[in-house]
Amino acid sequence: MTLVRTRIKTRANSRSTTRISSREDRIVNGIVYVACALVAVVCVFPLLFVVAASITPYGEVLRNGGYIVIPRAITFDAYRELLADPAIPRALSVTAFITVVGTALNMLLTTLMAYPLSRRDLPGRSAVLLIALFTTVFGAGMIPTYLIVKATGLLDTVWAMIVPGAVSVFNVLIMKTFFEGIPDELVDAARIDGAGELRILVQVILPLSVPVMLTLGLFYGVSHWNEFFQAILYVRDPDLQPLQVVVRNLLARSQATENADAVLPLVTVQMAAVVVAAIPMIAVYPFVQKHFQKGVLLGSVKG
Amino acid sequence: MVPTVTRARRYWALYLMLLPAMAYLAVYKYAPMYGIIVAFKDYSLGEGIVASPWIHPWYGHFSELFGSPYFGQLLRNTFLLSIYKIVWGTTLPLVLALILNECRLTWMRRWVQTLSYMPHFLSWVIIFGITGAFLSESSGLVNRWLEQLTGHSVGFLTSTDWFRSVLVGTEVWKDMGWGAIIYLAAMVGIDPSRYEVARVDGASRLRQIWHITLPGIRNVIILLLVLRLGHVLEAGFEQVYIFYNLQVYPVADILDTWVFRTGLENLNFSLAAAAGLFKSIIGLVLILAANRIAKRWDGQLW
């Protein structure tokens, strides 16, 4: 009896820090803390360094023989120069458009597809699921897809970066799984009260689905903000290029082709472009990361 | 028993909801499957998919593809890059998850976790920019250090010796924390009393990791590994396309980048479509096989 009690007691304490630690425990803890700190530095330092490089004045770069982590002086000239080039504001507006409109369309279609599929009583449900799932294991490939995008008249329009990826079947499955977790009684009660399907979806299901909506909305939003693949495939018009493509072209430009009387080294401007392309993600991230984690688990464990 | 038709009529609103997404799938997923026939034609932009003439023999583009000496190199690059990414992309997130699982300071664990999966949300373009800041031969921080130490700089981004390591390294940096989440979730699910019993028996922390934590998540590890093997022909088009340059084609060019260049830059649509079809079919077989194997570890995808 006493043995059992001690076991329960230690078990309660075993995962906390208050436990008296042995020599071996202290060594392991030490290694773990050092490793944790190392991981944190490896993840954060590159970003800090890029920010530092983007705000370092030219004089400082010359004096130090390159960029250093904490610049002794700060200038925002690189950002001014970057935004003075009409290509960047234009690309920002293209990216903002595809992010907002694209995400809205994604969420609309995903919800409309996930809700019927979450209803176990829907005749033909498994056939629809099968049709959707098949597209996740077999794709026609880059060229036939390009030809269809061309045939539907999307080439060289912003819609080429929105419509061909309007629904992600994986996200539909995540949302469907979430909907299936909502008790049927709620849906039945609403139906008895005379609510139609659309009303049930909007007034019963959606208010209970905030976590999954946030997660998927952010997944879609991030992928639109980072849009690159569809842009290089389907958009040739330089005025329609999204931010990531414009930044990639800027990064690929070498010092050799640089304008001789530029006030700043090209690299500084390039680093500013990297920061501009990353800022929304970094700014939004702290507020949403806990939802992301939940979303990943939903998708990978139960999905 | 209500006849199926009347039963289905009751659900008209639900079918209506399904319509937009199904139309999307039909046009942008299934119609391209029909478009695969360009792999068996001599596609010309002017005539379109239907009017372009069939090629004789029907496997002409495939024999051209398989007969090309470049094909072996493409396949080799695709496999090697994938395998390296699978090896490092499995072990390092696992190690990170073990570290976080052993971390007794809750605030530290939470911070490190949050910071470590942030890079996942950065685009490859941003990561390419960051990589340049460190590894570029003319201005990179690492090369400045190397020059001070050894007097030589290394063309990490332009040398065939280093390029694959750069690709694998940046991918691990991007997705290590993200990959650790699922292992960590599995570790949290292990019954704490098993650790307790081990401790009573005098097992050290390392032995607990070895005999309880790792076996406890063995199924998850194997499952993820098998599923990744199903995608072995996808070595990461976007990353490679953004990072690579002419000097490193011999080690970096993968099936997808080659299809892109052949089809959309050199306008050899039919040959590129044939290569894409080859990749899709092998991919389908691998994924179905992977799922079959994964079923044994009670965690199939569907």
Side-chain angles (χ1 to χ4, degrees):
Chain A
M1 193 63 213
T2 22
L3 182 68
V4 174
R5 185 162 301 152
T6 10
R7 273 191 191 179
I8 292 168
K9 210 169 155 191
T10 14
R11 183 159 122 203
N13 288 336
S14 65
R15 297 258 122 185
S16 76
T17 45
T18 49
R19 196 159 75 86
I20 307 148
S21 44
S22 70
R23 193 179 130 79
E24 196 240 354
D25 257 352
R26 280 198 302 269
I27 294 172
V28 171
N29 283 342
I31 294 171
V32 164
Y33 298 151
V34 170
C36 276
L38 204 67
V39 170
V41 169
V42 165
C43 291
V44 175
F45 176 71
L47 296 171
L48 291 180
F49 180 65
V50 168
V51 173
S54 74
I55 55 176
T56 307
Y58 202 3
E60 279 290 306
V61 180
L62 293 177
R63 189 168 338 136
N64 305 324
Y67 297 96
I68 51 171
V69 181
I70 300 168
R72 264 162 293 190
I74 286 177
T75 171
F76 290 99
D77 287 351
Y79 292 89
R80 230 165 279 146
E81 190 176 320
L82 188 69
L83 295 173
D85 176 355
I88 297 285
R90 196 163 48 215
L92 264 170
S93 68
V94 171
T95 295
F97 181 83
I98 58 175
T99 303
V100 172
V101 176
T103 307
L105 183 75
N106 288 146
M107 290 308 286
L108 181 70
L109 294 193
T110 303
T111 311
L112 286 181
M113 189 175 183
Y115 175 61
L117 290 180
S118 73
R119 292 276 301 272
R120 288 184 189 80
D121 54 329
L122 182 75
R125 174 177 103 125
S126 51
V128 175
L129 266 174
L130 199 68
I131 291 171
L133 277 173
F134 183 67
T135 66
T136 66
V137 293
F138 184 78
M142 214 180 268
I143 302 299
T145 309
Y146 171 87
L147 294 176
I148 295 297
V149 171
K150 179 171 179 285
T152 49
L154 297 183
L155 280 195
D156 268 328
T157 66
V158 275
W159 301 105
M161 296 174 275
I162 294 175
V163 176
V167 180
S168 144
V169 171
F170 282 112
N171 289 349
V172 170
L173 295 182
I174 293 175
M175 197 186 279
K176 164 187 160 287
T177 309
F178 190 93
F179 288 166
E180 280 169 354
I182 295 173
D184 288 338
E185 289 79 7
L186 287 170
V187 176
D188 292 338
R191 193 168 299 116
I192 290 164
D193 289 343
E197 295 292 356
L198 190 63
R199 211 183 148 99
I200 293 175
L201 173 58
V202 174
Q203 295 192 338
V204 179
I205 304 287
L206 290 190
L208 295 170
S209 307
V210 177
V212 77
M213 292 292 156
L214 267 176
T215 308
L216 295 187
L218 289 160
F219 278 160
Y220 279 129
V222 168
S223 72
H224 286 301
W225 183 268
N226 291 340
E227 175 56 52
F228 184 85
F229 178 67
Q230 298 183 104
I232 58 157
L233 279 175
Y234 309 134
V235 182
R236 288 286 137 83
D237 183 351
D239 289 351
L240 289 178
Q241 296 294 357
L243 188 61
Q244 306 291 340
V245 174
V246 173
V247 172
R248 166 68 176 92
N249 293 342
L250 180 64
L251 289 173
R253 212 182 293 162
S254 74
Q255 300 281 43
T257 61
E258 204 186 341
N259 184 354
D261 39 61
V263 248
L264 284 162
L266 177 63
V267 180
T268 312
V269 182
Q270 288 174 333
M271 291 305 109
V274 168
V275 174
V276 168
I279 264 180
M281 291 302 106
I282 309 265
V284 169
Y285 184 70
F287 302 101
V288 297
Q289 55 89 9
K290 60 177 189 285
H291 296 292
F292 278 140
Q293 187 175 359
K294 212 181 289 170
V296 180
L297 292 181
L298 261 178
S300 42
V301 182
K302 299 174 199 158
Chain B
M1 192 69 200
V2 198
T4 326
V5 182
T6 21
R7 208 160 80 86
R9 196 175 292 156
R10 271 217 319 267
Y11 292 92
W12 65 270
L14 293 177
Y15 291 121
L16 204 61
M17 286 182 193
L18 279 175
L19 208 58
M22 295 310 281
Y24 159 77
L25 290 180
V27 175
Y28 290 103
K29 296 289 176 191
Y30 281 94
M33 291 183 200
Y34 168 75
I36 284 173
I37 62 169
V38 299
F40 305 98
K41 289 191 161 196
D42 259 328
Y43 180 80
S44 82
L45 271 170
E47 293 178 85
I49 300 176
V50 186
S52 293
W54 295 94
I55 184 181
H56 294 290
W58 62 271
Y59 51 83
H61 294 303
F62 292 92
S63 49
E64 186 185 343
L65 178 70
F66 300 145
S68 145
Y70 200 63
F71 183 70
Q73 188 185 316
L74 278 181
L75 219 52
R76 194 181 130 85
N77 286 345
T78 309
F79 273 119
L80 275 180
L81 199 52
S82 261
I83 298 290
Y84 290 151
K85 283 180 174 182
I86 289 173
V87 169
W88 291 107
T90 303
T91 44
L92 288 178
L94 186 59
V95 170
L96 176 61
L98 285 173
I99 290 169
L100 289 171
N101 193 48
E102 292 300 320
C103 184
R104 297 284 182 264
L105 297 175
T106 318
W107 63 266
M108 189 184 231
R109 194 169 55 210
R110 207 173 293 150
W111 267 95
V112 171
Q113 218 182 330
T114 301
L115 293 177
S116 69
Y117 57 71
M118 184 180 59
H120 174 78
F121 296 99
L122 301 175
S123 71
W124 278 119
V125 172
I126 295 167
I127 293 177
F128 176 63
I130 295 173
T131 310
F134 283 83
L135 300 183
S136 134
E137 200 166 3
S138 54
S139 58
L141 188 65
V142 172
N143 266 320
R144 253 178 49 225
W145 288 339
L146 280 178
E147 255 171 35
Q148 279 166 10
L149 285 174
T150 66
H152 303 286
S153 60
V154 179
F156 293 105
L157 297 166
T158 49
S159 111
T160 48
D161 297 336
W162 283 98
F163 196 74
R164 279 195 196 120
S165 310
V166 171
L167 290 178
V168 175
T170 49
E171 169 136 326
V172 166
W173 185 75
K174 188 178 200 272
D175 281 332
M176 183 170 67
W178 196 247
I181 293 177
I182 185 153
Y183 295 123
L184 208 54
M187 288 174 190
V188 171
I190 297 172
D191 182 0
S193 65
R194 302 179 59 185
Y195 290 100
E196 189 44 45
V197 173
R199 203 152 28 234
V200 171
D201 290 347
S204 68
R205 289 271 285 275
L206 289 178
R207 291 191 74 112
Q208 288 174 37
I209 293 173
W210 186 251
H211 290 293
I212 299 172
T213 313
L214 285 177
I217 61 162
R218 195 183 57 205
N219 287 356
V220 177
I221 299 173
I222 294 172
L223 176 72
L224 292 183
L225 206 57
V226 166
L227 292 177
R228 290 193 70 163
L229 281 172
H231 291 277
V232 77
L233 284 184
E234 262 132 70
F237 170 78
E238 201 166 309
Q239 182 199 17
V240 176
Y241 181 83
I242 289 169
F243 275 70
Y244 81 166
N245 49 58
L246 262 172
Q247 286 113 298
V248 294
Y249 275 5
V251 294
D253 204 10
I254 55 174
L255 278 167
D256 281 334
T257 48
W258 182 84
V259 168
F260 179 83
R261 288 202 317 276
T262 305
L264 298 174
E265 286 177 0
N266 302 334
L267 301 183
N268 197 341
F269 285 90
S270 288
L271 183 60
L277 180 59
F278 163 76
K279 194 194 138 215
S280 290
I281 290 173
I282 305 286
L284 176 69
V285 171
L286 285 174
I287 290 170
L288 292 181
N291 191 54
R292 194 73 180 263
I293 301 169
K295 260 182 194 167
R296 290 212 195 149
W297 282 275
D298 67 22
Q300 81 270 25
L301 255 189
W302 54 85

